[in-house]
Amino acid sequence: MNLTPSISVVTSIYYSKDYITPFYNRVIQEINKLGCKYEIIFVQDGPTDAGHEMVKDLIKSDKNVSLIELTKNFGHQAAMLAGIQSAKLDTIFTIDVDLEEPPECISRFYKHLLANWDEVDTVVGILEKRESSSIARLSGKWFYKLFNKLSDTEIQPNQLWARIMKKEFVNAFLEYNEYLRFTAGLFSIAGFVQVYLPVQKSYKGTSSYSMLKRITSGVDAVTSFSVKPLKFLFFIGLISFIVSFFVGAILVFSKIFIDYYSGWLSILTLLIFFGSLNMMATGLVGIYVSSVYMEVKNRPRFLIRKIW
């Protein structure tokens, strides 16, 4: 093993001009502490703005900085994937550019990995305390609970993008060529030895992830890692059939022997209940079918316009 493994720092930018310079300065301070070979990869996810030109200026002054310009906005996970695929050095450190995850954890994670090089393959940042809105905290908490209940793959809650990975781990992770990617889940099922370190994440007060985006991402994550919702629907359907059979038998018995009929309200209630259940079941099956549809087309997860 090289006594000072090299490090690739990967981040994505999307209207991030306010963060690029302080991010770069703080990353360089950490790398100088380590004294190792490095590269810093910025991935421009979509429309170019002032941040694009700022990174190009950094490239002029630092030959270890590069910029990957995607053809359009493919999303944060796709942009990070583009950077990870392009990383060439011994270890890869991923982190968001917005400084909510402190770049100062680079040296801490690197030193922890180096001290346990033969036993550990990746060091993952775990959110120490959520300081976001109460809705975001609750939705995050219940998402991980629901995912771990429904999926055969259990993931550590509150994982961050801040993580350092050996090249061998990254090569294995990149074997998962899925279009609908839940990256935290893919990191988990890759196996290897993963350890977790707490990170205090700052909160800038706003998020580009609306509640609708959170729900959509959560549904995609669960359906891409579990078929338990389909099995659950089967058993709900089976139970509903048994219940409706006995209810029907009771109604027939009442009509024949007691001359009692429950009336239109009970029938309407049953129709609405089973109609709603059928719509939910059809919608869930549709989600799985659409996921298969997206995967079999095998479209590229991102397209690169230019590398600077």
Side-chain angles (χ1 to χ4, degrees):
M1 181 201 73
N2 186 348
L3 293 179
T4 54
S6 53
I7 184 170
S8 300
V9 178
V10 175
T11 192
S12 68
I13 57 175
Y14 180 73
Y15 296 112
S16 307
K17 61 183 179 64
D18 295 334
Y19 305 109
I20 290 172
T21 299
F23 173 84
Y24 171 78
N25 291 336
R26 289 167 67 177
V27 167
I28 288 297
Q29 287 178 1
E30 292 301 296
I31 290 175
N32 287 339
K33 294 178 185 178
L34 303 175
C36 63
K37 181 181 178 182
Y38 72 94
E39 64 176 350
I40 303 175
I41 301 172
F42 291 88
V43 183
Q44 174 76 52
D45 184 24
T48 58
D49 62 348
H52 180 269
E53 296 302 320
M54 293 171 70
V55 176
K56 288 169 68 176
D57 289 338
L58 290 176
I59 294 172
K60 295 175 183 177
S61 60
D62 187 344
K63 62 181 178 60
N64 297 311
V65 175
S66 61
L67 172 65
I68 300 173
E69 183 182 340
L70 302 185
T71 59
K72 71 180 188 69
N73 176 237
F74 286 93
H76 180 247
Q77 294 196 57
M80 295 296 274
L81 177 63
I84 292 171
Q85 284 187 355
S86 300
K88 304 178 182 67
L89 302 184
D90 300 327
T91 62
I92 294 89
F93 187 93
T94 57
I95 187 171
D96 286 332
V97 76
D98 61 7
L99 301 177
E100 287 195 1
E101 300 170 5
E104 286 71 26
C105 63
I106 292 176
S107 59
R108 182 162 66 102
F109 282 30
Y110 180 94
K111 290 175 182 177
H112 189 92
L113 179 63
L114 190 60
N116 302 277
W117 187 264
D118 293 328
E119 293 80 29
V120 174
D121 299 296
T122 179
V123 180
V124 183
I126 296 296
L127 184 60
E128 192 170 38
K129 180 182 178 182
R130 283 187 178 272
E131 296 183 357
S132 54
S133 66
S134 57
I135 294 177
R137 289 197 301 270
L138 285 174
S139 62
K141 176 182 178 181
W142 284 104
F143 164 73
Y144 285 107
K145 284 182 177 292
L146 181 63
F147 182 91
N148 287 333
K149 284 287 186 183
L150 292 178
S151 174
D152 295 327
T153 300
E154 185 168 344
I155 61 173
Q156 174 71 33
N158 300 324
Q159 293 187 36
L160 301 175
W161 269 105
R163 65 182 67 215
I164 189 168
M165 303 166 282
K166 287 182 180 177
K167 189 66 174 177
E168 295 82 2
F169 176 87
V170 170
N171 290 338
F173 164 73
L174 293 176
E175 290 294 319
Y176 294 104
N177 192 29
E178 301 179 18
Y179 183 82
L180 297 174
R181 302 178 70 87
F182 174 46
T183 305
L186 294 178
F187 279 140
S188 296
I189 64 173
F192 291 82
V193 179
Q194 306 185 38
V195 298
Y196 304 94
L197 294 182
V199 173
Q200 183 59 53
K201 182 178 178 180
S202 61
Y203 177 57
K204 64 177 184 284
T206 59
S207 174
S208 59
Y209 270 77
S210 64
M211 184 53 64
L212 180 60
K213 283 185 177 180
R214 292 176 187 273
I215 294 173
T216 302
S217 298
V219 171
D220 287 341
V222 171
T223 53
S224 63
F225 274 82
S226 175
V227 295
K228 286 183 180 178
L230 290 176
K231 294 179 180 179
F232 177 75
L233 275 181
F234 169 78
F235 286 109
I236 288 292
L238 180 62
I239 293 170
S240 299
F241 171 77
I242 295 172
V243 170
S244 62
F245 176 82
F246 281 105
V247 169
I250 291 171
L251 289 175
V252 170
F253 179 85
S254 299
K255 181 65 176 176
I256 295 175
F257 297 101
I258 307 177
D259 196 26
Y260 169 77
Y261 193 67
S262 61
W264 63 270
L265 185 59
S266 59
I267 296 175
L268 180 61
T269 301
L270 287 173
L271 285 174
I272 293 174
F273 172 76
F274 287 110
S276 301
L277 186 64
N278 185 54
M279 290 178 65
M280 290 173 58
T282 303
L284 181 59
V285 172
I287 291 172
Y288 277 97
V289 171
S290 66
S291 298
V292 173
Y293 172 68
M294 294 300 294
E295 295 293 343
V296 297
K297 288 190 292 186
N298 199 29
R299 289 178 177 174
R301 192 64 185 86
F302 57 84
L303 295 171
I304 296 175
R305 179 178 179 271
K306 190 172 183 179
I307 299 178
W308 303 83

